[in-house]
Amino acid sequence: MSSIKEPVVIHKGLDNVYVKESRICLIDGEASKLFYRGYSIDDLAAHSTFEETAYLLIFGKLPNWTQLKEFAGKIESYRALDPRLLRLIQSFPESCDPMDALRTAVSSLSLFDPTPTAENLNARVDKAIQILAKTPTIIAAFDRTRNHKDPISPKTGLSHAADFLYMLSGGPPDPYDAHVMDVALILHAEHEMNASTFSCTVAASTLADMYSIITSGIATLRGPLHGGANEAALRTVQEVGDPSNADEYVKQALAERKRIMGFGHRVYKTWDPRYRILKALGADLAMRKGQQKLYDTALAIETSALKHLSGSPIFPNVDSYSGVVFHMLGITTDLFTPIFAMSRIAGWSAHSIEYLESNRLIRPKAYYVGPVGLRYVPLEERLS
Ligand SMILES: CC(C)(COP(=O)(O)OP(=O)(O)OC[C@H]1O[C@@H](n2cnc3c(N)ncnc32)[C@H](O)[C@@H]1OP(=O)(O)O)[C@@H](O)C(=O)NCCC(=O)NCCS
């Protein structure tokens, strides 16, 4: 029972609650459109690079040639890990989830930074770029270690996407694979005020350091309702196994009120624009890699789900093909969410910095409905 007299509105899930004005991202969930800083995701996927998109998100405008070169050079110079952090990663149990490894390693980055707290926004931006730069190195080092291979140092002259593939495999990446990874990173870099971005914003509002902010984003992305749907969507495709099984699978799943992974979205009530881009890349990759059956199975699930869900606002989302695409790039399934995080650091950083430009500590309320004035019963008198 609460002493509050006025009517209280509880915004469970914070649906439709705005926490700030923003110039970073616009999702038009009815028109199937997504814009980063005013630029459509289709244009960015077709013409930009992850480095350029990260600059756009963090600094608010597209860089000129000199700015981009300087930014990309900075990322390159920050990629290597302190040898002590590398040893720490090598000490992680092989069986640990890569998201746990990433969360712990990103948190530990602050231990090896002599000045982990930033004095001003510019210094914060620099910390954000350092974390963004080191994340692929962390993921690759962990993956190689658990596979009993030595970690590989970053290589100069490679893009963020290409260097990640290089550090994972140890060989020069196929240029088309690097292009696909680059586009995937662009598509995952930002998506307005989702759960992990909100988590980062809350941490930022307390004036926590960038390492704490990004660690809270990774921790929140860890949950299966947020990151992880791409892994589940790929597993569905693998379980279905053949296009001819798709319709039966979808019918049965819907009859059992199960969700079709890679379908539905809180904001998009039509096609997710990122889905179209990944589907096209998936079709191309399937031909190049001889993985037609996998792609055709995903396509058959999509066709069947659209047929059976017709009339509802449930459409394919980004995850319906992202897992298939990552799989065809040779990436282990449990690395999909860490890759999502590695890209989303750009958006997390942009939102945290934007919020800090006119900060207000985030402190919502909980409406108390419990008892008050209970008599404290000494332990020895408590019967149950
Ligand atoms: C993403 C997601 C949580 C968004 O859901 P939401 O907009 O909050 O919608 P709700 O969870 O309230 O579901 C509304 C209705 O649509 C149905 N629905 C939503 N997504 C569905 C899916 N993928 N397959 C089948 N039915 C679905 C729900 O069962 C519910 O039906 P009901 O009203 O008869 O109970 C949801 O669509 C989902 O779980 N999708 C599968 C996982 C996924 O692909 N996640 C990645 C998102 S990028």
Side-chain angles (χ1 to χ4, degrees):
M1 208 179 70
S2 172
S3 59
I4 300 170
K5 293 284 178 286
E6 75 269 20
V8 168
V9 181
I10 295 178
H11 297 280
K12 198 158 183 200
L14 301 184
D15 297 27
N16 297 320
V17 172
Y18 293 89
V19 295
K20 65 169 181 173
E21 287 186 347
S22 180
R23 297 176 182 282
I24 299 171
C25 179
L26 175 70
I27 304 170
D28 186 338
E30 305 292 330
S32 181
K33 295 215 177 308
L34 169 62
F35 300 90
Y36 294 172
R37 300 278 189 188
Y39 297 95
S40 88
I41 196 66
D42 298 284
D43 279 347
L44 293 170
H47 307 298
S48 188
T49 59
F50 176 71
E51 284 86 332
E52 185 184 66
T53 298
Y55 184 100
L56 171 70
L57 289 168
I58 294 170
F59 293 101
K61 60 183 182 62
L62 284 172
N64 62 28
W65 195 83
T66 314
Q67 289 163 331
L68 181 58
K69 199 162 169 254
E70 198 182 302
F71 183 66
K74 213 173 212 186
I75 292 178
E76 204 170 271
S77 72
Y78 285 150
R79 275 189 191 128
L81 302 180
D82 186 298
R84 291 168 296 177
L85 177 61
L86 208 50
R87 285 201 294 278
L88 181 66
I89 293 169
Q90 288 174 302
S91 76
F92 292 165
E94 281 165 25
S95 59
C96 84
D97 187 284
M99 275 300 273
D100 295 338
L102 178 65
R103 189 192 60 236
T104 306
V106 167
S107 174
S108 306
L109 279 174
S110 72
L111 308 177
F112 305 104
D113 182 340
T115 56
T117 51
E119 278 161 19
N120 53 46
L121 279 185
N122 286 343
R124 274 184 184 276
V125 169
D126 196 65
K127 301 289 178 202
I129 299 168
Q130 291 194 40
I131 302 168
L132 180 138
K134 292 180 195 309
T135 304
T137 322
I138 290 171
I139 299 169
F142 172 72
D143 189 56
R144 287 187 67 84
T145 303
R146 70 175 171 169
N147 287 308
H148 310 287
K149 294 176 187 160
D150 288 332
I152 291 182
S153 302
K155 193 181 179 118
T156 45
L158 291 180
S159 71
H160 205 58
D163 192 44
F164 175 57
L165 292 177
Y166 164 73
M167 289 188 289
L168 271 182
S169 71
D174 175 272
Y176 187 75
D177 288 2
H179 163 70
V180 172
M181 178 53 76
D182 192 46
V183 175
L185 293 181
I186 292 172
L187 299 181
H188 288 87
E190 162 58 16
H191 215 227
E192 207 231 46
M193 194 50 69
N194 50 75
S196 55
T197 304
F198 183 57
S199 188
C200 290
T201 308
V202 173
S205 84
T206 72
L207 302 185
D209 62 278
M210 281 315 286
Y211 299 100
S212 301
I213 292 171
I214 301 299
T215 302
S216 74
I218 296 170
T220 308
L221 187 68
R222 171 87 171 86
L225 292 186
H226 192 4
N230 49 15
E231 299 181 17
L234 173 69
R235 288 199 179 98
T236 301
V237 176
Q238 289 171 325
E239 270 166 41
V240 170
D242 189 276
S244 62
N245 301 330
D247 201 50
E248 197 46 46
Y249 167 81
V250 170
K251 271 196 295 195
Q252 197 179 334
L254 292 178
E256 291 169 9
R257 302 193 63 76
K258 284 192 190 147
R259 293 181 179 219
I260 311 296
M261 288 296 137
F263 267 71
H265 200 276
R266 180 63 63 81
V267 184
Y268 294 111
K269 297 305 167 196
T270 180
W271 276 273
D272 180 333
R274 301 166 299 176
Y275 136 87
R276 281 193 297 263
I277 300 164
L278 283 164
K279 183 178 174 181
L281 288 173
D284 244 16
L285 268 179
M287 274 191 310
R288 287 168 185 260
K289 307 272 182 191
Q291 297 255 18
Q292 205 58 47
K293 192 165 154 192
L294 185 81
Y295 178 80
D296 288 347
T297 306
L299 191 61
I301 294 172
E302 181 198 338
T303 309
S304 170
L306 280 172
K307 182 175 77 185
H308 294 295
L309 290 167
S310 119
S312 78
I314 304 169
F315 288 84
N317 62 46
V318 65
D319 292 324
S320 58
Y321 285 92
S322 60
V324 170
V325 163
F326 288 141
H327 179 78
M328 290 194 284
L329 289 178
I331 294 183
T332 315
T333 308
D334 64 3
L335 293 185
F336 297 173
T337 312
I339 293 171
F340 184 166
M342 150 185 154
S343 157
R344 188 55 62 84
I345 287 172
W348 290 338
S349 304
H351 278 281
S352 307
I353 288 156
E354 183 182 66
Y355 193 82
L356 284 168
E357 281 164 0
S358 72
N359 187 40
R360 178 163 174 82
L361 176 70
I362 295 177
R363 201 310 189 181
K365 297 184 86 170
Y367 185 62
Y368 182 71
V369 293
V372 288
L374 298 181
R375 186 180 77 84
Y376 179 82
V377 181
L379 182 58
E380 56 279 12
E381 289 177 26
R382 287 176 224 158
L383 297 177
S384 57

